[in-house]
Amino acid sequence: MEVNHIKNQSGYLKFIPLGGMGEVTKNMSVYETENDLVVVDCGIGFPEEAATAAAEKAENEILIPDFSYVLARQKKLRALIVTHGHEDHIGAIPYFLKKVRVPVYTARLTAGLIRSKLKEKGPKKAEIKELNEDQRINLGRDFSFELIRLTHSIPDTMAVALTTPFGVVIHTGDFKLDPTPLDRRLSELGKIDEYGRRGVLLLASDSLRSEREGSSPSERIVGETFFREIQKTRGRVFITMFSSDISRIQQAIDVAAALGREVTLAGLSLERNFEVARDLGYLAVPKKQVTTNEKLKKLPVSKQLILASGAQGQTNSAMAKMARGEHRAFKLGQGDLVLFSSDLIPGNEEPVQRLQEQIRKVGAKVLHLEEVPEIHVSGHGYAEDLKRVMQAAHAAYLAPIGGTPESMAEYAKLARGYNYRDDQIFLLENGQTLEFYFHQGRTEAKLGEKIELKEFSIIQK
Ligand SMILES: [Zn+2]
């Protein structure tokens, strides 16, 4: 595994995860040389207590990464590159851009979602640069990059191929290898193969579902499940999901159209994401298919499909309000069917169970993942998918990211199956520097300093 393109024999390349290691959310990574610094992703996380406490205050609390390492080096900060539009990858951007001016590079839908976020939270002035897959961008003296299309549960998910003086780093955001993605745009494995043939220094790869055998099922399966379950009922149907699952929203709309139902959305972030994606052409919505809460209410119940936020059991969400009879438009009751189309963020088991009990108590039927396994599929690759990308990149070093400690260890196990030695696999913690340097004619890697990170929490209004 020779690594070419070494220009600077005395310098260094550092990879520092500021978030996203072992905790899944709050993703933010730094790549740094003597001259330049690039950040990949800038997401939010959720405090542990919020998951169990029903307290309103804790529920609105979010965590943002500790930016101080980057702020102290902002003279050489060249770019924020964003892999995709999920909250745990873009949610902290407003707070970051209030501290520092830096161009943000990302694909079109993600750019739209970021702009909508900045409109609400500021700052007003920001440089958001939309890229497609064929553009190469130079950043300072040491870096250039291009985006590589992957599949996930939201369109326009990209990996970053970052060319550095020590070789190429492939940094995936979240991904799976969906053989039949809704937008028909497949993962560009060929591009990763091509980089692999030329020599990749580091693969920083999604690892969350490494313990699952085989390949992650296609997102399309969820639409088939919606169709099957909704077809059986004549009552109102409610589907609750993550508000940024754009592909899931599309499938609900398609199924509604096929079964003669109209759709409405309940929940602020769900509505906002829907509007951005529709306006940019990422959602195909037949005319009059999606309507307001008030108009939908007047239709016969067999013609109603309501998409609601609150799949994680949040007490302030549209779904929870409907269950308590406090929502301004909809009150759950006899004959209603509620589909929980998501898995659980660890720690949310209790509030979700509570919400589901509440829904059953008012006479509605609940279907969730444990009863109907294909009501949700993971947006993350399983072992075979992760191995496929590992083989394609053929990187000299590996660093699983975006996983739990267990899934990162499992990823390392998969790598050993491909003859990776332990000294080529780095299971990093947040703040732990991985440093590449030049030694006796070749690039080597070692653990560098561990940066102390503080916890920053923000109460959202
Ligand atoms: Zn994601």
Side-chain angles (χ1 to χ4, degrees):
M1 277 182 252
E2 269 310 297
V3 176
N4 299 317
H5 319 298
I6 293 162
K7 292 180 206 157
N8 181 350
Q9 305 215 340
S10 63
Y12 61 83
L13 169 69
K14 289 177 182 176
F15 167 53
I16 315 163
L18 296 178
M21 291 299 192
E23 57 182 358
V24 186
T25 57
K26 216 171 74 185
N27 294 282
M28 185 169 187
S29 297
V30 165
Y31 291 94
E32 181 192 4
T33 63
E34 282 166 301
N35 302 307
D36 302 303
L37 189 153
V38 169
V39 172
V40 179
D41 288 337
C42 188
I44 55 166
F46 306 95
E48 286 279 309
E49 317 85 73
T52 46
E56 203 169 295
K57 185 172 169 244
E59 191 168 282
N60 294 335
E61 189 179 351
I62 56 162
L63 301 178
I64 61 171
D66 185 344
F67 305 140
S68 38
Y69 184 88
V70 178
L71 298 182
R73 290 157 185 80
Q74 54 181 292
K75 273 204 180 128
K76 60 176 175 175
L77 174 62
R78 305 290 171 236
L80 165 61
I81 308 171
V82 182
T83 58
H84 67 288
H86 281 160
E87 280 299 310
D88 55 337
H89 294 257
I90 68 168
I93 292 177
Y95 310 101
F96 186 55
L97 292 186
K98 279 176 193 167
K99 301 265 186 199
V100 69
R101 281 193 69 169
V102 61
V104 181
Y105 295 90
T106 192
R108 190 156 165 267
L109 174 62
T110 318
L113 293 168
I114 294 170
R115 283 196 190 102
S116 144
K117 195 167 276 302
L118 296 181
K119 215 185 212 174
E120 183 201 348
K121 298 198 163 100
K124 279 202 182 102
K125 270 193 183 159
E127 207 182 329
I128 315 285
K129 295 174 180 267
E130 284 175 25
L131 295 183
N132 58 41
E133 303 92 297
D134 315 313
Q135 280 170 281
R136 174 165 291 279
I137 303 293
N138 292 312
L139 301 170
R141 277 169 63 179
D142 290 341
F143 294 125
S144 71
F145 78 97
E146 67 170 332
L147 300 177
I148 299 177
R149 181 169 296 278
L150 293 173
T151 50
H152 186 36
S153 50
I154 185 167
D156 272 1
T157 292
M158 302 286 174
V160 181
L162 183 70
T163 301
T164 81
F166 288 84
V168 172
V169 175
I170 307 268
H171 182 111
T172 78
D174 304 339
F175 77 93
K176 66 200 254 181
L177 300 178
D178 194 330
T180 54
L182 282 185
D183 63 1
R184 296 167 198 273
R185 300 173 90 173
L186 294 163
S187 295
E188 295 181 306
L189 268 179
K191 251 191 192 174
I192 300 180
D193 266 323
E194 184 57 41
Y195 274 108
R197 273 194 289 276
R198 282 181 269 152
V200 170
L201 174 70
L202 172 71
L203 171 65
S205 170
D206 180 2
S207 60
L208 186 63
R209 296 299 177 207
S210 55
E211 79 283 7
R212 296 194 184 168
E213 283 173 25
S215 290
S216 192
S218 173
E219 173 69 25
R220 218 168 263 273
I221 283 177
V222 177
E224 291 162 19
T225 311
F226 284 171
F227 188 91
R228 213 175 43 235
E229 296 301 332
I230 296 172
Q231 201 181 22
K232 291 183 208 160
T233 181
R234 294 227 172 122
R236 284 189 303 186
V237 177
F238 296 77
I239 303 178
T240 180
M241 58 178 77
F242 288 113
S243 61
S244 52
D245 274 357
I246 303 297
S247 310
R248 200 67 52 93
I249 297 174
Q250 179 70 63
Q251 301 204 85
I253 291 170
D254 291 347
V255 168
L259 294 174
R261 288 177 186 257
E262 289 184 27
V263 177
T264 198
L265 296 107
L268 203 59
S269 55
L270 191 63
E271 290 166 50
R272 205 176 289 136
N273 291 340
F274 167 80
E275 274 166 27
V276 171
R278 183 199 53 197
D279 293 350
L280 292 176
Y282 286 83
L283 281 172
V285 186
K287 223 177 169 194
K288 290 190 178 164
Q289 189 61 53
V290 176
T291 184
T292 62
N293 289 189
E294 291 310 315
K295 280 189 184 152
L296 190 98
K297 250 172 76 173
K298 295 189 181 118
L299 297 175
V301 290
S302 64
K303 302 261 179 236
Q304 299 184 25
L305 176 63
I306 298 106
L307 305 185
S309 60
Q312 297 299 314
Q314 307 94 309
T315 48
N316 278 335
S317 66
M319 198 73 247
K321 284 181 186 162
M322 290 172 191
R324 291 197 301 266
E326 291 168 10
H327 190 265
R328 60 188 154 70
F330 301 103
K331 185 178 170 184
L332 281 169
Q334 281 294 343
D336 291 335
L337 172 66
V338 183
L339 309 178
F340 276 73
S341 181
S342 74
D343 54 8
L344 289 171
I345 295 177
N348 287 355
E349 294 82 358
E350 218 177 292
V352 169
Q353 219 161 27
R354 248 198 325 262
L355 174 59
Q356 291 178 347
E357 271 161 32
Q358 212 160 19
I359 294 171
R360 287 194 193 96
K361 222 164 41 193
V362 298
K365 187 179 173 191
V366 173
L367 289 179
H368 57 80
L369 198 53
E370 273 162 44
E371 299 165 51
V372 186
E374 287 170 347
I375 205 167
H376 168 80
V377 294
S378 176
H380 299 265
Y382 292 4
E384 287 307 316
D385 308 315
L386 299 174
K387 275 154 59 176
R388 180 70 190 84
V389 170
M390 194 189 292
Q391 270 180 302
H394 197 60
Y397 298 95
L398 299 174
I401 54 174
T404 61
E406 297 76 28
S407 69
M408 287 162 70
E410 192 60 35
Y411 184 89
K413 229 188 255 174
L414 298 178
R416 283 183 211 110
Y418 283 103
N419 294 325
Y420 276 94
R421 300 181 313 268
D422 283 351
D423 63 353
Q424 293 176 290
I425 310 166
F426 289 91
L427 306 184
L428 304 175
E429 289 173 11
N430 289 330
Q432 176 65 60
T433 303
L434 171 58
E435 197 171 326
F436 298 95
Y437 60 102
F438 204 63
H439 180 68
Q440 294 181 341
R442 49 174 300 146
T443 296
E444 293 192 2
K446 64 170 185 196
L447 292 178
E449 75 172 311
K450 171 107 194 264
I451 297 153
E452 279 309 314
L453 297 172
K454 290 204 187 86
E455 189 140 282
F456 288 91
S457 85
I458 287 175
I459 308 292
Q460 286 190 315
K461 280 173 209 119

